[in-house]
Coordinates of all heavy atoms in Angstrom, one line a residue:
M176 N -89.8 19.7 -38.7 CA -89.2 19.1 -37.5 C -87.9 19.9 -37.2 O -87.0 20.2 -38.1 CB -88.8 17.7 -37.8 CG -87.8 17.0 -36.9 SD -87.6 15.3 -37.3 CE -86.1 15.0 -36.4
Q177 N -87.8 20.4 -36.0 CA -86.7 21.2 -35.5 C -85.5 20.2 -35.0 O -85.8 19.4 -34.3 CB -87.2 22.0 -34.3 CG -88.0 23.2 -34.7 CD -87.2 24.3 -35.4 OE1 -86.0 24.5 -35.2 NE2 -87.8 25.1 -36.3
I178 N -84.4 20.6 -35.5 CA -83.2 19.8 -35.0 C -82.1 20.8 -34.7 O -82.3 22.0 -35.0 CB -82.7 18.8 -36.0 CG1 -82.3 19.4 -37.3 CG2 -83.7 17.7 -36.2 CD1 -81.5 18.5 -38.2
K179 N -81.0 20.3 -34.1 CA -79.9 21.2 -33.8 C -78.6 20.6 -34.4 O -78.4 19.4 -34.4 CB -79.8 21.1 -32.3 CG -79.1 22.4 -31.7 CD -79.4 22.5 -30.2 CE -78.1 22.6 -29.4 NZ -78.3 22.7 -28.0
C180 N -77.9 21.5 -35.0 CA -76.7 21.1 -35.7 C -75.7 20.5 -34.6 O -75.5 21.1 -33.6 CB -76.0 22.3 -36.4 SG -74.4 21.9 -37.1
A181 N -75.1 19.3 -34.9 CA -74.2 18.6 -34.0 C -72.9 19.3 -34.0 O -72.1 19.2 -33.1 CB -74.0 17.2 -34.4
Q182 N -72.6 20.2 -35.0 CA -71.3 20.8 -35.2 C -71.2 22.2 -34.5 O -70.3 22.6 -33.8 CB -70.9 20.9 -36.7 CG -71.1 19.7 -37.5 CD -70.2 18.5 -37.1 OE1 -69.1 18.7 -36.5 NE2 -70.6 17.3 -37.4
C183 N -72.3 23.0 -34.9 CA -72.2 24.4 -34.4 C -73.4 24.7 -33.5 O -73.5 25.9 -33.0 CB -72.1 25.4 -35.6 SG -73.7 25.5 -36.5
A184 N -74.3 23.8 -33.2 CA -75.4 24.0 -32.3 C -76.5 24.9 -32.8 O -77.4 25.3 -32.1 CB -75.0 24.4 -30.9
M185 N -76.5 25.2 -34.1 CA -77.4 26.1 -34.7 C -78.8 25.3 -34.8 O -78.8 24.2 -35.4 CB -77.0 26.5 -36.1 CG -78.0 27.0 -37.0 SD -78.0 28.8 -37.0 CE -79.2 29.1 -38.3
P186 N -79.9 25.8 -34.3 CA -81.1 25.1 -34.5 C -81.7 25.4 -35.9 O -81.6 26.5 -36.4 CB -82.1 25.7 -33.4 CG -81.4 26.9 -32.8 CD -80.1 27.0 -33.5
F187 N -82.2 24.4 -36.6 CA -82.8 24.6 -37.9 C -83.9 23.5 -38.1 O -84.0 22.6 -37.4 CB -81.7 24.6 -39.0 CG -81.0 23.3 -39.2 CD1 -81.3 22.4 -40.2 CD2 -79.9 23.0 -38.4 CE1 -80.6 21.2 -40.4 CE2 -79.1 21.8 -38.6 CZ -79.5 21.0 -39.6
A188 N -84.7 23.8 -39.1 CA -85.8 23.0 -39.4 C -85.6 22.1 -40.6 O -85.0 22.5 -41.6 CB -87.0 23.8 -39.5
L189 N -86.1 20.9 -40.5 CA -86.2 20.0 -41.7 C -87.6 20.2 -42.4 O -88.6 20.2 -41.6 CB -86.1 18.5 -41.3 CG -84.7 17.9 -40.9 CD1 -84.9 16.5 -40.8 CD2 -83.7 18.3 -41.9
S190 N -87.6 20.3 -43.6 CA -88.9 20.5 -44.3 C -89.6 19.2 -44.3 O -89.0 18.1 -44.1 CB -88.6 21.0 -45.8 OG -88.0 19.9 -46.5
N191 N -90.9 19.2 -44.6 CA -91.7 18.0 -44.6 C -91.1 17.0 -45.7 O -91.2 15.8 -45.6 CB -93.2 18.3 -44.9 CG -93.8 19.0 -43.7 OD1 -93.3 18.8 -42.6 ND2 -95.0 19.6 -44.0
E192 N -90.6 17.6 -46.8 CA -90.0 16.8 -47.9 C -88.8 16.1 -47.4 O -88.6 14.9 -47.7 CB -89.7 17.8 -49.0 CG -89.7 17.1 -50.4 CD -89.6 18.2 -51.5 OE1 -88.7 19.0 -51.4 OE2 -90.4 18.1 -52.4
Q193 N -88.0 16.8 -46.7 CA -86.7 16.2 -46.1 C -87.1 15.1 -45.1 O -86.5 14.0 -45.1 CB -85.8 17.2 -45.4 CG -85.1 18.2 -46.4 CD -84.4 19.3 -45.7 OE1 -85.0 20.1 -45.0 NE2 -83.1 19.4 -45.9
V194 N -88.1 15.4 -44.3 CA -88.5 14.3 -43.3 C -89.0 13.1 -44.1 O -88.7 12.0 -43.7 CB -89.6 14.9 -42.4 CG1 -90.2 13.8 -41.5 CG2 -89.0 16.0 -41.5
A195 N -89.8 13.3 -45.2 CA -90.3 12.2 -45.9 C -89.2 11.4 -46.5 O -89.2 10.2 -46.6 CB -91.3 12.7 -47.0
D196 N -88.2 12.1 -47.0 CA -87.0 11.4 -47.6 C -86.3 10.5 -46.5 O -86.0 9.4 -46.7 CB -85.9 12.4 -48.0 CG -86.1 12.9 -49.4 OD1 -87.0 12.4 -50.1 OD2 -85.3 13.8 -49.9
A197 N -86.1 11.2 -45.3 CA -85.5 10.5 -44.2 C -86.3 9.2 -43.8 O -85.7 8.2 -43.6 CB -85.3 11.5 -43.1
I198 N -87.6 9.4 -43.7 CA -88.4 8.2 -43.3 C -88.3 7.1 -44.3 O -88.2 5.9 -43.9 CB -89.9 8.7 -43.2 CG1 -90.1 9.8 -42.2 CG2 -90.8 7.5 -43.0 CD1 -90.3 9.5 -40.8
A199 N -88.2 7.5 -45.6 CA -88.1 6.5 -46.7 C -86.8 5.7 -46.5 O -86.7 4.5 -46.6 CB -88.2 7.1 -48.0
I200 N -85.7 6.4 -46.2 CA -84.4 5.8 -46.1 C -84.4 4.9 -44.8 O -83.9 3.8 -44.9 CB -83.3 6.9 -45.9 CG1 -83.1 7.6 -47.3 CG2 -82.0 6.3 -45.5 CD1 -82.4 9.0 -47.2
L201 N -84.9 5.4 -43.8 CA -84.9 4.7 -42.5 C -85.8 3.5 -42.5 O -85.6 2.5 -41.7 CB -85.2 5.6 -41.3 CG -84.1 6.7 -41.1 CD1 -84.6 7.8 -40.2 CD2 -82.8 6.2 -40.6
K202 N -86.9 3.5 -43.3 CA -87.8 2.4 -43.4 C -87.1 1.2 -44.1 O -87.3 0.0 -43.8 CB -89.0 2.8 -44.1 CG -90.2 3.2 -43.2 CD -91.3 3.7 -44.0 CE -92.3 2.6 -44.3 NZ -93.6 3.3 -44.8
N203 N -86.2 1.6 -45.1 CA -85.5 0.5 -45.8 C -84.4 -0.1 -45.0 O -84.1 -1.2 -45.1 CB -84.8 1.2 -47.0 CG -85.7 1.1 -48.3 OD1 -86.5 0.2 -48.4 ND2 -85.6 2.1 -49.2
D204 N -83.8 0.8 -44.2 CA -82.6 0.3 -43.4 C -82.7 1.0 -42.0 O -82.4 2.2 -41.9 CB -81.3 0.6 -44.1 CG -80.1 0.2 -43.4 OD1 -80.2 -0.4 -42.3 OD2 -79.0 0.4 -43.9
S205 N -83.1 0.3 -41.0 CA -83.2 0.9 -39.7 C -81.9 1.3 -39.1 O -81.9 2.1 -38.1 CB -84.0 0.0 -38.8 OG -83.3 -1.2 -38.6
H206 N -80.8 0.9 -39.7 CA -79.5 1.3 -39.1 C -78.9 2.5 -39.9 O -77.8 2.9 -39.6 CB -78.5 0.1 -39.1 CG -79.0 -1.0 -38.2 ND1 -79.1 -0.9 -36.9 CD2 -79.5 -2.2 -38.6 CE1 -79.6 -2.1 -36.4 NE2 -79.8 -2.9 -37.4
A207 N -79.6 2.9 -40.9 CA -79.1 4.0 -41.7 C -79.3 5.3 -41.0 O -80.0 5.4 -39.9 CB -79.9 4.1 -43.0
H208 N -78.6 6.4 -41.5 CA -78.8 7.7 -40.9 C -79.1 8.6 -42.0 O -78.8 8.5 -43.1 CB -77.4 8.2 -40.2 CG -77.1 7.4 -39.0 ND1 -76.5 6.2 -39.0 CD2 -77.4 7.7 -37.7 CE1 -76.3 5.8 -37.8 NE2 -76.9 6.7 -36.9
Y209 N -79.9 9.7 -41.6 CA -80.2 10.7 -42.6 C -79.2 11.9 -42.3 O -79.1 12.3 -41.2 CB -81.6 11.1 -42.4 CG -82.0 12.2 -43.4 CD1 -82.2 11.9 -44.8 CD2 -82.2 13.5 -43.0 CE1 -82.5 12.9 -45.7 CE2 -82.5 14.5 -43.9 CZ -82.7 14.2 -45.2 OH -83.0 15.2 -46.1
D210 N -78.6 12.4 -43.4 CA -77.7 13.5 -43.2 C -78.5 14.8 -43.4 O -78.9 15.1 -44.5 CB -76.6 13.5 -44.2 CG -75.5 12.4 -43.9 OD1 -75.3 12.2 -42.6 OD2 -75.0 11.8 -44.8
A211 N -78.6 15.6 -42.4 CA -79.3 16.9 -42.5 C -78.2 18.0 -42.6 O -77.3 18.0 -41.7 CB -80.2 17.1 -41.3
Q212 N -78.2 18.8 -43.6 CA -77.2 19.8 -43.7 C -77.5 21.1 -43.0 O -78.6 21.6 -43.2 CB -76.9 20.1 -45.2 CG -75.6 20.8 -45.4 CD -75.4 21.2 -46.9 OE1 -76.3 21.7 -47.5 NE2 -74.2 21.0 -47.4
C213 N -76.6 21.6 -42.2 CA -76.8 22.8 -41.5 C -76.7 24.0 -42.4 O -75.8 24.1 -43.2 CB -75.7 22.9 -40.4 SG -75.7 24.4 -39.5
P214 N -77.7 24.9 -42.3 CA -77.7 26.1 -43.2 C -76.6 27.0 -42.8 O -76.2 27.9 -43.6 CB -79.1 26.7 -43.0 CG -79.6 26.1 -41.7 CD -78.9 24.9 -41.5
K215 N -76.1 27.0 -41.6 CA -75.0 27.9 -41.2 C -73.6 27.4 -41.5 O -72.9 28.0 -42.3 CB -75.2 28.2 -39.7 CG -74.3 29.3 -39.2 CD -74.5 29.4 -37.7 CE -73.4 30.3 -37.1 NZ -73.4 30.2 -35.6
C216 N -73.3 26.2 -41.0 CA -71.9 25.7 -41.2 C -71.8 24.7 -42.4 O -70.7 24.3 -42.8 CB -71.3 25.1 -39.9 SG -72.1 23.5 -39.5
R217 N -72.9 24.3 -43.0 CA -73.0 23.4 -44.1 C -72.5 22.0 -43.8 O -72.3 21.2 -44.7 CB -72.2 24.0 -45.3 CG -72.6 25.3 -45.8 CD -73.8 25.2 -46.8 NE -74.5 26.4 -46.9 CZ -75.8 26.5 -47.4 NH1 -76.4 25.3 -47.7 NH2 -76.4 27.6 -47.5
R218 N -72.2 21.7 -42.6 CA -71.8 20.4 -42.3 C -73.1 19.5 -42.0 O -74.1 20.1 -41.7 CB -70.8 20.4 -41.1 CG -69.5 20.8 -41.6 CD -68.4 20.7 -40.5 NE -68.6 21.7 -39.5 CZ -67.8 21.9 -38.4 NH1 -66.7 21.1 -38.3 NH2 -68.0 22.8 -37.5
S219 N -72.9 18.2 -42.0 CA -74.1 17.4 -41.8 C -74.2 16.8 -40.4 O -73.2 16.5 -39.8 CB -74.2 16.3 -42.9 OG -73.2 15.5 -42.8
T220 N -75.5 16.8 -40.0 CA -75.8 16.2 -38.7 C -76.5 14.9 -39.0 O -77.4 14.8 -39.8 CB -76.7 17.1 -38.0 OG1 -76.0 18.3 -37.6 CG2 -77.2 16.5 -36.7
K221 N -76.0 13.8 -38.5 CA -76.6 12.5 -38.7 C -77.7 12.3 -37.8 O -77.7 12.4 -36.6 CB -75.5 11.4 -38.5 CG -74.5 11.4 -39.6 CD -73.7 10.1 -39.6 CE -72.6 10.1 -40.6 NZ -73.0 10.3 -41.9
L222 N -78.9 11.9 -38.5 CA -80.1 11.7 -37.6 C -80.4 10.2 -37.8 O -80.6 9.7 -38.8 CB -81.3 12.5 -38.2 CG -81.1 14.0 -38.1 CD1 -82.2 14.7 -38.8 CD2 -81.0 14.5 -36.7
S223 N -80.5 9.6 -36.6 CA -80.9 8.1 -36.6 C -82.4 8.0 -36.6 O -83.1 8.9 -36.4 CB -80.2 7.5 -35.3 OG -80.9 8.0 -34.2
K224 N -82.8 6.7 -36.7 CA -84.2 6.4 -36.7 C -84.8 6.9 -35.3 O -85.9 7.4 -35.3 CB -84.4 4.9 -36.8 CG -85.8 4.4 -37.1 CD -85.8 2.9 -37.3 CE -87.3 2.5 -37.5 NZ -87.3 1.0 -37.6
K225 N -84.1 6.8 -34.3 CA -84.5 7.2 -33.0 C -84.9 8.7 -33.0 O -85.9 9.1 -32.2 CB -83.5 7.0 -31.9 CG -83.5 5.6 -31.4 CD -82.8 5.5 -30.0 CE -82.9 4.2 -29.4 NZ -81.8 3.3 -29.4
S226 N -84.2 9.5 -33.7 CA -84.4 11.0 -33.7 C -85.8 11.3 -34.2 O -86.4 12.2 -33.9 CB -83.4 11.7 -34.6 OG -82.2 11.2 -34.4
F227 N -86.3 10.3 -35.1 CA -87.7 10.5 -35.7 C -88.7 9.8 -34.8 O -89.9 10.3 -34.8 CB -87.7 10.0 -37.1 CG -86.8 10.8 -38.0 CD1 -85.5 10.5 -38.3 CD2 -87.3 12.0 -38.6 CE1 -84.7 11.2 -39.1 CE2 -86.5 12.8 -39.5 CZ -85.2 12.4 -39.7
E228 N -88.4 8.7 -34.2 CA -89.3 8.0 -33.4 C -89.9 8.7 -32.2 O -90.9 8.4 -31.7 CB -88.7 6.6 -33.0 CG -88.7 5.6 -34.1 CD -88.0 4.3 -33.7 OE1 -87.2 4.3 -32.7 OE2 -88.2 3.3 -34.4
I229 N -89.2 9.7 -31.8 CA -89.7 10.5 -30.6 C -90.8 11.4 -31.0 O -91.5 11.8 -30.1 CB -88.5 11.3 -29.9 CG1 -87.8 12.2 -30.9 CG2 -87.5 10.4 -29.2 CD1 -86.9 13.2 -30.2
H230 N -91.1 11.6 -32.3 CA -92.2 12.3 -32.7 C -93.3 11.3 -33.1 O -93.1 10.5 -34.0 CB -91.9 13.1 -33.9 CG -90.8 14.2 -33.7 ND1 -91.1 15.5 -33.4 CD2 -89.5 14.1 -33.7 CE1 -90.0 16.1 -33.1 NE2 -89.0 15.3 -33.4
P231 N -94.5 11.3 -32.4 CA -95.5 10.3 -32.7 C -95.9 10.2 -34.1 O -96.1 9.1 -34.6 CB -96.7 10.8 -31.8 CG -96.1 11.6 -30.7 CD -94.8 12.3 -31.4
L232 N -96.0 11.3 -34.8 CA -96.4 11.3 -36.2 C -95.4 10.5 -37.1 O -95.7 9.7 -37.9 CB -96.5 12.7 -36.7 CG -96.9 12.9 -38.2 CD1 -98.3 12.3 -38.5 CD2 -96.8 14.3 -38.6
Y233 N -94.1 10.8 -36.9 CA -93.0 10.2 -37.6 C -92.9 8.7 -37.3 O -92.6 7.9 -38.1 CB -91.7 10.9 -37.5 CG -91.8 12.4 -37.9 CD1 -91.1 13.3 -37.2 CD2 -92.7 12.8 -38.9 CE1 -91.2 14.7 -37.5 CE2 -92.8 14.1 -39.2 CZ -92.0 15.1 -38.5 OH -92.1 16.4 -38.8
K234 N -93.1 8.4 -36.0 CA -93.1 7.0 -35.5 C -94.1 6.2 -36.3 O -93.8 5.1 -36.8 CB -93.3 7.0 -34.0 CG -93.0 5.6 -33.4 CD -93.2 5.7 -31.9 CE -92.6 4.6 -31.1 NZ -93.1 3.2 -31.5
K235 N -95.2 6.8 -36.4 CA -96.3 6.1 -37.1 C -95.9 5.9 -38.6 O -96.2 4.8 -39.2 CB -97.6 7.0 -37.0 CG -98.9 6.2 -37.2 CD -100.1 7.0 -36.9 CE -101.3 6.5 -37.5 NZ -101.9 7.3 -38.5
M236 N -95.3 6.9 -39.2 CA -94.9 6.8 -40.6 C -93.9 5.7 -40.8 O -93.8 5.0 -41.8 CB -94.3 8.2 -41.1 CG -95.4 9.2 -41.3 SD -94.7 10.9 -41.5 CE -94.0 10.8 -43.1
L237 N -93.0 5.6 -39.8 CA -91.9 4.5 -39.9 C -92.5 3.1 -39.7 O -92.0 2.2 -40.2 CB -90.9 4.8 -38.7 CG -89.9 5.9 -39.0 CD1 -89.2 6.3 -37.7 CD2 -88.8 5.4 -39.9
E238 N -93.7 3.1 -39.0 CA -94.3 1.7 -38.9 C -95.2 1.3 -40.0 O -95.6 0.1 -40.0 CB -95.1 1.8 -37.5 CG -94.1 1.7 -36.3 CD -94.8 2.1 -35.0 OE1 -96.0 2.5 -35.0 OE2 -94.2 2.0 -33.9
E239 N -95.6 2.2 -40.8 CA -96.5 1.9 -41.9 C -96.0 1.0 -42.9 O -94.8 1.1 -43.2 CB -97.0 3.2 -42.5 CG -98.2 3.8 -41.8 CD -98.6 5.2 -42.2 OE1 -97.9 5.7 -43.2 OE2 -99.5 5.8 -41.6
Ligands
ZN39 ZN1 -73.9 23.9 -38.1

């Protein structure tokens, strides 16, 4: 999944493993955020459940 760093605007990808982690966290607590670390500036970008729900596949995973 492609995202963009909230700090430096660098586009980067989350691995399937990271996405699976995020889905697990967000399924437990829909108000939680997943911290994705930017490979360039090393700061984290907070991803809400909504960031994943816009992808049909991840939306399905969240509903399972
Ligand atoms: Zn960055």
Side-chain angles (χ1 to χ4, degrees):
M176 163 175 164
Q177 285 288 329
I178 59 165
K179 201 161 131 184
C180 175
Q182 315 292 336
C183 72
M185 163 97 171
F187 62 100
L189 283 188
S190 69
N191 289 342
E192 206 170 50
Q193 287 173 303
V194 170
D196 271 359
I198 301 273
I200 291 165
L201 297 167
K202 266 172 91 169
N203 269 330
D204 180 358
S205 59
H206 300 290
H208 289 82
Y209 179 74
D210 286 325
Q212 198 188 41
C213 173
K215 189 180 167 197
C216 70
R217 301 275 163 202
R218 285 187 288 185
S219 61
T220 292
K221 288 194 185 303
L222 298 172
S223 68
K224 194 177 179 183
K225 276 200 171 104
S226 320
F227 293 92
E228 280 176 341
I229 55 171
H230 300 264
L232 176 66
Y233 304 145
K234 190 174 196 302
K235 203 169 159 244
M236 285 164 77
L237 282 161
E238 284 165 357
E239 272 168 5

